[in-house]
Amino acid sequence: MIWPAAPAAQPDNVVPAGQVLDLRGSAATRLLAGAAANGDHRVTATVTFTDGTVGQADLSFGDWVFPGGATTRVFENTRLARTDHRNPRGTGTSVYASTPCEAPAGRTPRHDHDAERREPRRRHDRTG
């Protein structure tokens, strides 16, 4: 997985808001890294294929501090990393991999470089 570098004190996450993600490459199975804030969040993405058909992908994530209200995984997320604390000490945080999304046999996700793009809403959590 590729983890983007964000300058200190700058927005470092994206909130799903209908934007287009250009997932280049030839991988048949894809997943995203992330975590939810203020509780667990279920999100479904629409994937457009080169033949014009569409499919759905689950991009749900557990909360970065207390997934499922405790420490158990939710939405079949796989924990990629966990810290033992944050500010304040005593509460760890996690980053997860989404449920893998596999393209149906014979279909390829479209990479439409000319599609209308909306700037993702970015948020910087100054509490953690």
Side-chain angles (χ1 to χ4, degrees):
M1 299 195 83
I2 299 170
W3 195 265
Q10 295 298 309
D12 59 359
N13 60 12
V14 176
V15 176
Q19 63 268 37
V20 174
L21 299 178
D22 189 358
L23 303 176
R24 298 177 191 194
S26 60
T29 301
R30 299 172 187 258
L31 52 87
L32 294 177
N38 300 314
D40 307 324
H41 292 278
R42 183 169 295 281
V43 176
T44 301
T46 300
V47 180
T48 304
F49 299 101
T50 54
D51 64 3
T53 60
V54 296
Q56 301 294 308
D58 181 14
L59 297 182
S60 301
F61 285 108
D63 188 86
W64 69 301
V65 179
F66 295 112
T71 58
T72 57
R73 79 180 200 167
V74 296
F75 306 132
E76 299 302 316
N77 290 164
T78 299
R79 183 184 293 157
L80 298 175
R82 177 156 177 81
T83 65
D84 63 351
H85 68 276
R86 66 178 181 121
N87 296 334
R89 289 195 171 273
T91 304
T93 63
S94 297
V95 174
Y96 307 97
S98 66
T99 302
C101 173
E102 190 165 341
R107 291 192 184 152
T108 304
R110 184 176 74 193
H111 307 292
D112 190 350
H113 306 291
D114 298 321
E116 177 184 339
R117 303 248 194 302
R118 285 197 282 165
E119 183 63 25
R121 253 181 43 209
R122 295 183 181 272
R123 189 176 96 198
H124 181 71
D125 186 342
R126 299 184 190 285
T127 62

